[in-house]
Amino acid sequence: MANNPLPWTLKPQADIKPPEKVGMVIDLRRCVGCHACAVSCKTEHAVPLGSFRNRTQVVQRPDSLKLSFVPMICMHCEDAPCLNACPSTAITRELDGRVLVDEVRCDGNQECVGACPYGAIFFHPDKQVASKCNLCEHRTEVGMPPACVEVCPTDALRFGDLADPADPLVALHANESARPMKPEAKTQPRVVYMGLEPWMDDKLPGVQRAADGEGEDGLTYE
Amino acid sequence: MSSHKRPEVTSDEADAKAPTTLSRRELLTMAAAAGGWTLAGGLGCSIFTPARRGKALEEITSAPSQPTIPPLPGDVIDYRTATAIPTICFGCTTHCGVIGWVQDERVRRISGNPLDPNSQGKICAKANGMIAYTYYPERLLYPLKRVGKRGEGRWKRISWDAALEEIASKMRPLREAGRPDRFVFHYGRDKTKGYTKRFTNAFGTPHRLNRRSICSSNRRAPLMSFYGREFEWESQDIANTRYILNFGGNPCEAYQGGLFILNRLQTARVDHGAKLITFEVRPSATASISDEYHPIFPGTDGAVAMAMCHVIVDEERYDKAFIDRWTNVSVEELAPTLKRFTPEFAEQVSGIKADVIRRLAREFADAAPHCCTLSNRGSAKHYNGYQSDRAIRLLDVLVGNVGKPGGFCLSSLRGWAGRYGQEGLPKLSQPGPKPSGPKAWAPGHPAFEELPAEIKERVSGFPEMWKKKYFGELATPSEYPLSWHWYSMRVGQLVYEYIRESRQKVDVYMSYTLGAAYGYPEARAAREVLASEELIPFHVAIDIGYSEQAALADIILPDATSLERWDAHSTNNYGLIPYTGIRQPLVEPLGEARSVQVILRDLARRIGGGMETYFDFDDMEDFYKGWYSNLPMDWETFKARGIWYDETREPDYELYERPLTDEELVDSEVEAETGRIFKRTGPKRRCIGLRMPDGKAVRGFPTPSRLIEVRDDVFAIAARAVGIDESDPLADPLPTWFPIPGHEQIPTDRFVFTTFKWNVHAQGRTGHLKYQAEIVHSNPLWINPETAKELGLQEGDEVEVTVYRPQGKTYKANEKEPVGSFINRVKIVHGMHPRVVASSHHTGHWEHGPIGGERDRIAESGGPGAGMDPALADPDIAKRMWWSKARGGVGRGVHINDAMPINPAPLVGGQNWYDNICSIKRT
């Protein structure tokens, strides 16, 4: 044991192969709504109170006494409504498929916020620009998984390279029961769900709580 | 006070010694330059090894500090230059191995440590809370002394020198007068694995009070009764199980070791088809992800378990060979008890349908031995809790899954000192010399003679096994002998009442990580006693934040947080291989905070009189290095990895069948009539195992008979000792179930009020941690929709909940006057049991700063702000607490504990948190 390298030791940059085609699967059959992902993300990016890059929605099931838990992040859509809506071309798709906000180009018009069917974008109260999940670029470029994926106790969040045939994510992503959220929006997201049931899409809010405290989106379910 | 200057220490309070010329920052820079470790890849990720560890601590800590609060980060972590340091989480009590990432002397992130065989690299939402409390704007950083009357909230900053001198001057005379028992040390969460005991033993007081009874006594007693003192907690083999019967456990959100279960549970279910069946009163996360969730009437889990046992015996689905070989009962002996617990009977009391009970019992038995029970507060925090949990545990015994793959397994709980199941493991213990404990109280002992006559009489009638470990009413309450029969779990919720009744006189009272003033049942009674200078002449609180408990102190000492200190760590591994981990400082304590180890060491030295001989070490790292001197891994490697275990060791399956070695059998003899094997060491003999009918010498269980003690006469003995009739089911040596007094006929306009825990919170100490508080900041009253309709209630309505006294043999039983009431708002939840209403208990503070109490103490002139540092200000909290009342949100929660009755279960003393009968009225 003493001779094995520590798992958190970073590989030399030359040995790191960041994903060519980012993908994520969120497996609702495993999610227990623990919010580890949400708090990990908040801490990693110092996301302001009142805004979320990652949030776990809790919904009452229609068919039983139980609750269901649905983590939501930016879906990194191949046909991103936010990108299409931005008049300043401040939102771009990277080669690997990540959808990113250019904070320098962003002029704070906030068209993207309402355009997103998933409520993934917020207006950063300090930076005064649009802000959202970037799949932890600063981590993936050194070979680490996104902050949310790293902590999930049940492996409900999985991240990987859809262009790598050896990556187990490929089979999961292609599984016939894996599908996007709100498919009617035709966004072709890179983030897909297992165990997402038909009744869930409508129950899941397309907005997140705004920083000024308005809006009830089912997040605060205490 | 808008100035951001650090509060000044006035000249008459400043230390006499001259300050060192190096600031802390300079010391750290020197250390980094001297170079710590460089890991594979040469990327500059270094292990933090400050130069001060070579320096005598005395020189550094006696200097007035120049606290450098690291600024809020401006950017994301640069992983190529940040430092990764393994440690042990303290976001709750599960204690997962974690990695802390440090950049610019600030802890930035907590991740899981993949080397931890228990948590397997996973963490929960609470882990990053350690960062939140280390940098909380109103964290306590300087010693404080009260000004004016206790509890007025007025404070002045004093030096450590002055603080320790005053405390020592109050404690020393007690010891010198031969009355160390007048010093009471009361902790909430002590994970120092015996370090604070070193202090209390050296001082000579038996009064180490805790909160075990507030927590889990009722579920530990049944385990220790069946399996021995070693196994007050079990390690179900979740990874390999196929069927789990869960009576009110919630490992998805809480539970001691919850994450260790959670990280195996969903894989077992989703990938391997394991089934989880949950009995609960609300749609907890665990109930929600279960294959079946059955709402059950509170306090009837034991009836359902007994009925399942009835089915298993009746239909001959039990493992006869296992029962005959390994228990002290036969099925014939159990049959009369089980006979009356028919599924129909259980249905009547619990609401669970008889055919469901039958089906589940059969499914459980069919899956055996790869099946197990799970239970925790839901089944145990009741008047009938300990008998109910014995009934639940009987299920595992009947089908013989104990110690089997996928079954109810038992694995070592604690850091090793050569105990049962720890053969071949390195002996780890605090470096000596270690003080021995105080002597038990017998007639003639001054403290014994001061006891009320009735108590002296009761104790004099005790069997010898209890007389020889009686230490007065606070540590070993004579009315609750089973709260200290196996070990001293105590009855914490009665401590303040006992002090009020003068069952024990107190001169110096020390709180450590304790939140009794907020979190104990009938907390206002605790506050009344704490506020009384007559009952508690001197109160010292060691805390990291200005809590409700600290607010009632005379001196507050600022503790280091878990990110800033050392601890040895070990707990039971759900992966069934014993392991150990090290908690080590990621950063130096902020301000003048000092770890409890340093505080108690320095205090012991000041008190002197021989105490100092047990605290003759300057460097805390050296002390812990000594603790681990037998570890077969060098210290630097251990620190770098954070975890050690023997990868070649077999998992702890069927420990009881392990043969005794020839070496172990040397100088041993077999007791013919029982088969017990005793080993002689000098004049003493110790039971080490059992000779089985087949002739094999095996370890057996660490119980008196070396068998699973399904029949345990200690319950009858205890009942007799406190005057409970032997016919009372509380006294039954066999597992049984009986209704909670007063619950048989609850009027239709009354309900059972229960509390619960959230996944983002831990008890009463996380409500002010920003990201966790953002997700759960209040605690509305969960109520079933039909019940709400009957009461004419709608979502968000304000109601008054009044809680009544319990019945039976408990504190203030049957008193007509309600315990108290609280105002709360309605939240309609479909999955609630119709006769139960519930609130969580994490929020509702009036202290703990801007998030906890929605008040800014730091701004108050003459207040506890003198112990805080405005440089910790967080504009995010100041500007964006969107849920606060001030911003039009629902605000923080409602404090409910003043209305929760003190309600210890007879004999064992566990607090019956979930028995409360209440009425609900719209305001």
Side-chain angles (χ1 to χ4, degrees):
Chain A
M1 175 194 277
N3 296 323
N4 297 342
L6 298 170
W8 51 89
T9 305
L10 299 185
K11 292 202 196 73
Q13 197 60 46
D15 294 349
I16 293 175
K17 191 177 166 296
E20 270 176 43
K21 188 176 176 185
V22 293
M24 240 177 106
V25 173
I26 298 181
D27 190 349
L28 301 186
R29 302 168 307 167
R30 298 177 199 267
C31 179
V32 299
C34 74
H35 301 280
C37 53
V39 177
S40 176
C41 173
K42 277 267 179 173
T43 305
E44 188 74 22
H45 298 277
V47 181
L49 292 172
S51 308
F52 289 83
R53 291 186 174 211
N54 171 322
R55 67 210 198 271
T56 299
Q57 302 292 158
V58 179
V59 286
Q60 182 75 50
R61 294 189 64 88
D63 56 356
S64 83
L65 302 171
K66 301 177 190 173
L67 302 172
S68 282
F69 310 105
V70 188
M72 289 177 74
I73 61 170
C74 169
M75 305 294 175
H76 296 278
C77 308
E78 291 186 353
D79 185 6
C82 59
L83 190 155
N84 297 335
C86 177
S88 326
T89 54
I91 300 184
T92 55
R93 280 195 81 227
E94 301 294 289
L95 282 172
D96 64 6
R98 232 180 277 252
V99 176
L100 298 181
V101 174
D102 182 336
E103 293 191 353
V104 176
R105 281 187 84 93
C106 176
D107 61 12
N109 62 74
Q110 300 191 50
E111 291 295 317
C112 56
V113 176
C116 175
Y118 308 109
I121 309 183
F122 61 92
F123 187 65
H124 198 295
D126 294 330
K127 299 184 193 176
Q128 296 285 294
V129 293
S131 190
K132 67 176 191 62
C133 164
N134 65 347
L135 287 173
C136 285
E137 242 189 327
H138 67 295
R139 291 176 56 96
T140 55
E141 70 191 11
V142 293
M144 297 170 107
C148 55
V149 172
E150 185 191 52
V151 300
C152 178
T154 58
D155 294 322
L157 303 180
R158 311 218 188 175
F159 171 84
D161 187 353
L162 296 172
D164 178 0
D167 194 325
L169 190 81
V170 175
L172 273 179
H173 208 268
N175 188 298
E176 58 182 11
S177 60
R179 70 165 178 90
M181 180 181 288
K182 299 188 193 282
E184 70 283 1
K186 295 187 163 59
T187 54
Q188 296 170 75
R190 287 293 180 82
V191 178
V192 297
Y193 287 80
M194 302 268 295
L196 184 62
E197 299 172 46
W199 60 269
M200 288 178 173
D201 299 85
D202 291 335
K203 266 222 174 177
L204 293 164
V207 295
Q208 60 174 276
R209 178 179 284 277
D212 63 359
E214 292 299 321
E216 178 58 62
D217 66 353
L219 180 69
T220 53
Y221 57 98
E222 86 290 7
Chain B
M1 188 172 94
S2 58
S3 156
H4 280 238
K5 276 175 65 179
R6 190 166 52 81
E8 285 302 305
V9 178
T10 59
S11 58
D12 64 332
E13 292 158 351
D15 285 317
K17 295 191 179 133
T20 57
T21 51
L22 290 170
S23 72
R24 190 161 283 139
R25 195 186 195 100
E26 286 166 290
L27 281 169
L28 296 177
T29 313
M30 276 167 54
W37 272 53
T38 307
L39 299 174
L43 298 166
C45 292
S46 62
I47 294 297
F48 175 65
T49 52
R52 70 180 280 161
R53 284 175 185 162
K55 244 178 148 126
L57 205 58
E58 178 86 301
E59 279 180 52
I60 294 166
T61 57
S62 59
S65 68
Q66 301 292 324
T68 313
I69 307 289
L72 284 165
D75 201 353
V76 287
I77 302 170
D78 177 0
Y79 283 99
R80 294 240 172 254
T81 59
T83 307
I85 304 170
T87 188
I88 304 295
C89 191
F90 215 141
C92 78
T93 180
T94 286
H95 293 259
C96 303
V98 293
I99 304 295
W101 285 94
V102 181
Q103 185 136 58
D104 299 326
E105 290 153 50
R106 191 172 174 116
V107 185
R108 299 288 308 276
R109 175 187 176 76
I110 307 294
S111 307
N113 183 345
L115 298 174
D116 180 328
N118 214 348
S119 63
Q120 302 174 315
K122 305 303 186 179
I123 58 170
C124 76
K126 300 182 279 292
N128 280 289
M130 294 198 286
I131 295 175
Y133 62 55
T134 298
Y135 302 106
Y136 189 58
E138 294 205 355
R139 180 181 164 188
L140 288 171
L141 298 181
Y142 306 99
L144 290 173
K145 184 178 157 87
R146 76 160 152 100
V147 172
K149 275 170 56 98
R150 186 185 291 165
E152 258 182 34
R154 296 198 290 136
W155 300 87
K156 66 175 179 180
R157 178 179 163 180
I158 58 172
S159 67
W160 271 104
D161 196 51
L164 293 173
E165 195 51 47
E166 181 167 347
I167 299 167
S169 71
K170 296 236 161 42
M171 289 181 69
R172 196 182 300 114
L174 304 179
R175 202 162 172 269
E176 285 170 352
R179 296 309 302 271
D181 61 290
R182 295 275 175 85
F183 166 60
V184 170
F185 181 80
H186 195 170
Y187 63 88
R189 181 63 70 200
D190 175 24
K191 290 291 193 177
T192 65
K193 296 287 193 217
Y195 186 96
T196 60
K197 194 168 193 179
R198 190 186 191 98
F199 180 85
T200 54
N201 278 355
F203 191 80
T205 181
H207 294 129
R208 292 174 53 71
L209 307 183
N210 64 359
R211 37 97 293 278
R212 172 104 314 145
S213 64
I214 308 289
C215 180
S216 52
S217 298
N218 288 356
R219 64 105 61 201
R220 290 179 191 259
L223 281 164
M224 295 191 284
S225 166
F226 266 35
Y227 298 115
R229 159 75 178 97
E230 293 300 330
F231 296 118
E232 59 176 320
W233 208 271
E234 73 285 356
S235 311
Q236 291 89 342
D237 187 15
I238 303 293
N240 299 303
T241 198
R242 302 208 185 119
Y243 200 90
I244 305 171
L245 278 175
N246 174 25
F247 293 89
N250 191 12
C252 292
E253 296 192 77
Y255 201 104
Q256 171 70 56
L259 191 111
F260 308 141
I261 292 174
L262 178 57
N263 64 347
R264 295 169 165 87
L265 179 64
Q266 292 295 60
T267 304
R269 291 185 58 248
V270 176
D271 293 341
H272 305 298
K275 293 269 171 284
L276 172 64
I277 313 295
T278 294
F279 298 97
E280 247 295 356
V281 300
R282 66 178 192 101
S284 65
T286 306
S288 290
I289 59 104
S290 294
D291 296 279
E292 293 178 34
Y293 156 42
H294 298 282
I296 189 170
F297 191 82
T300 63
D301 306 77
V304 171
M306 288 299 279
M308 290 183 174
C309 291
H310 170 113
V311 171
I312 288 170
V313 165
D314 200 44
E315 298 181 5
E316 294 181 8
R317 294 171 183 272
Y318 52 86
D319 185 337
K320 179 163 170 33
F322 180 82
I323 296 168
D324 287 347
R325 185 173 169 86
W326 282 117
T327 76
N328 68 349
V329 292
S330 63
V331 168
E332 289 67 41
E333 202 181 327
L334 292 173
T337 295
L338 292 177
K339 192 164 175 204
R340 61 191 182 89
F341 290 101
T342 61
E344 285 68 27
F345 170 79
E347 173 176 341
Q348 221 183 321
V349 297
S350 68
I352 309 295
K353 295 261 177 288
D355 58 359
V356 170
I357 293 173
R358 285 196 167 85
R359 173 175 61 81
L360 297 176
R362 290 166 187 157
E363 287 174 3
F364 181 75
D366 282 346
H370 315 294
C371 65
C372 57
T373 62
L374 202 70
S375 71
N376 202 342
R377 281 149 172 66
S379 57
K381 297 192 88 61
H382 297 285
Y383 187 96
N384 60 9
Y386 70 79
Q387 291 291 27
S388 295
D389 258 38
R390 290 176 78 207
I392 294 166
R393 300 283 93 86
L394 181 57
L395 282 165
D396 298 299
V397 172
L398 286 181
V399 303
N401 67 31
V402 179
K404 308 277 171 60
F408 191 88
C409 296
L410 303 166
S411 184
S412 178
L413 258 75
R414 60 201 83 248
W416 308 302
R419 299 171 112 121
Y420 179 94
Q422 296 170 354
E423 293 78 7
L425 295 174
K427 266 208 182 139
L428 306 175
S429 60
Q430 294 185 53
K434 285 184 284 194
S436 47
K439 298 264 180 299
W441 296 10
H445 189 300
F448 187 91
E449 294 310 323
E450 282 169 9
L451 292 167
E454 160 196 306
I455 290 171
K456 282 197 279 197
E457 204 184 307
R458 184 185 300 133
V459 175
S460 301
F462 275 171
E464 199 52 41
M465 64 177 172
W466 291 342
K467 275 194 194 154
K468 68 181 185 190
K469 53 183 187 174
Y470 179 72
F471 289 100
E473 293 297 290
L474 297 186
T476 52
S478 55
E479 263 180 86
Y480 300 89
L482 299 186
S483 75
W484 48 279
H485 167 69
W486 293 279
Y487 77 96
S488 196
M489 299 194 287
R490 309 161 193 112
V491 185
Q493 67 270 43
L494 284 175
V495 153
Y496 297 108
E497 290 308 296
Y498 281 3
I499 291 173
R500 196 205 294 267
E501 292 168 13
S502 302
R503 292 200 200 194
Q504 172 68 36
K505 192 168 179 322
V506 179
D507 285 308
V508 175
Y509 176 87
M510 185 177 280
S511 301
Y512 169 54
T513 67
L514 184 64
Y518 168 85
Y520 268 32
E522 285 182 75
R524 66 161 184 276
R527 295 195 300 279
E528 277 163 20
V529 171
L530 284 166
S532 161
E533 292 190 53
E534 197 194 306
L535 292 172
I536 300 200
F538 189 62
H539 177 193
V540 179
I542 302 175
D543 213 330
I544 60 171
Y546 190 69
S547 59
E548 290 82 6
Q549 186 81 8
L552 290 170
D554 302 316
I555 288 185
I556 305 177
L557 301 177
D559 196 4
T561 71
S562 55
L563 297 180
E564 300 166 340
R565 73 181 233 197
W566 295 94
D567 275 311
H569 171 67
S570 178
T571 191
N572 58 309
N573 181 1
Y574 284 77
L576 301 175
I577 298 182
Y579 72 111
T580 185
I582 187 76
R583 177 175 289 118
Q584 61 185 313
L586 272 60
V587 288
E588 294 298 328
L590 292 188
E592 288 186 3
R594 297 182 183 181
S595 69
V596 68
Q597 293 97 325
V598 167
I599 295 171
L600 294 180
R601 179 202 65 189
D602 291 348
L603 186 56
R605 288 173 172 180
R606 294 236 182 193
I607 294 170
M611 279 189 82
E612 69 281 3
T613 52
Y614 304 111
F615 291 92
D616 186 18
F617 44 88
D618 286 331
D619 192 302
M620 287 316 301
E621 178 171 354
D622 281 346
F623 181 81
Y624 282 91
K625 187 174 173 183
W627 197 315
Y628 280 96
S629 54
N630 287 331
L631 198 72
M633 175 182 272
D634 72 276
W635 180 240
E636 293 302 321
T637 306
F638 183 48
K639 281 195 301 174
R641 300 182 72 82
I643 296 285
W644 179 85
Y645 64 99
D646 178 357
E647 289 177 19
T648 66
R649 193 177 180 86
E650 290 298 317
D652 281 344
Y653 291 125
E654 292 179 277
L655 282 176
Y656 47 90
E657 288 281 10
R658 292 216 183 144
L660 294 173
T661 63
D662 291 336
E663 200 194 315
E664 285 172 312
L665 287 168
V666 166
D667 283 338
S668 68
E669 62 201 15
V670 181
E671 184 179 69
E673 66 209 14
T674 61
R676 294 190 297 174
I677 302 173
F678 288 89
K679 192 174 174 83
R680 289 217 160 271
T681 35
K684 293 202 184 145
R685 65 170 205 165
R686 190 170 58 90
C687 188
I688 58 168
L690 200 58
R691 164 84 67 78
M692 305 307 286
D694 60 16
K696 292 209 189 107
V698 297
R699 208 172 287 151
F701 292 86
T703 55
S705 62
R706 303 306 286 195
L707 302 170
I708 300 172
E709 301 201 348
V710 176
R711 161 185 288 282
D712 191 346
D713 291 322
V714 83
F715 295 98
I717 294 169
R720 206 176 305 133
V722 305
I724 290 177
D725 193 83
E726 270 177 47
S727 64
D728 193 310
L730 289 163
D732 200 332
L734 290 174
T736 184
W737 178 86
F738 56 96
I740 296 165
H743 280 218
E744 307 93 313
Q745 295 287 2
I746 300 177
T748 50
D749 62 346
R750 297 212 173 164
F751 304 89
V752 178
F753 175 78
T754 189
T755 58
F756 65 91
K757 294 182 180 175
W758 276 110
N759 44 28
V760 294
H761 282 306
Q763 283 85 17
R765 57 183 185 277
T766 59
H768 62 291
L769 305 181
K770 68 173 180 177
Y771 299 135
Q772 293 156 260
E774 175 168 45
I775 295 171
V776 176
H777 37 263
S778 69
N779 61 343
L781 189 74
W782 285 27
I783 186 166
N784 173 283
E786 308 314 323
T787 308
K789 204 154 119 188
E790 273 168 33
L791 294 171
L793 297 174
Q794 290 185 343
E795 180 78 13
D797 276 355
E798 196 180 79
V799 291
E800 181 179 38
V801 178
T802 301
V803 182
Y804 302 94
R805 286 282 171 201
Q807 296 177 37
K809 300 174 181 61
T810 184
Y811 179 79
K812 293 195 177 171
N814 301 310
E815 266 188 22
K816 288 286 173 276
E817 191 68 22
V819 183
S821 63
F822 55 88
I823 311 275
N824 209 340
R825 66 189 158 88
V826 165
K827 182 175 182 68
I828 296 181
V829 178
H830 284 250
M832 281 304 292
H833 189 288
R835 301 288 289 136
V836 179
V837 293
S839 288
S840 64
H841 59 280
H842 308 288
T843 62
H845 285 277
W846 58 93
E847 297 297 352
H848 282 298
I851 297 180
E854 287 187 48
R855 66 193 293 185
D856 288 325
R857 283 296 204 172
I858 201 167
E860 290 171 18
S861 173
M868 304 172 188
D869 194 330
L872 277 173
D874 181 352
D876 195 31
I877 293 173
K879 291 194 291 195
R880 285 186 280 269
M881 251 183 78
W882 52 265
W883 62 90
S884 67
K885 274 255 145 69
R887 303 180 85 88
V890 297
R892 71 196 193 286
V894 169
H895 182 240
I896 58 176
N897 286 50
D898 285 357
M900 302 286 96
I902 292 171
N903 188 359
L907 304 182
V908 174
Q911 169 66 11
N912 311 326
W913 282 112
Y914 298 166
D915 282 359
N916 314 298
I917 301 297
C918 75
S919 58
I920 303 164
K921 199 176 66 177
R922 192 143 53 118
T923 59

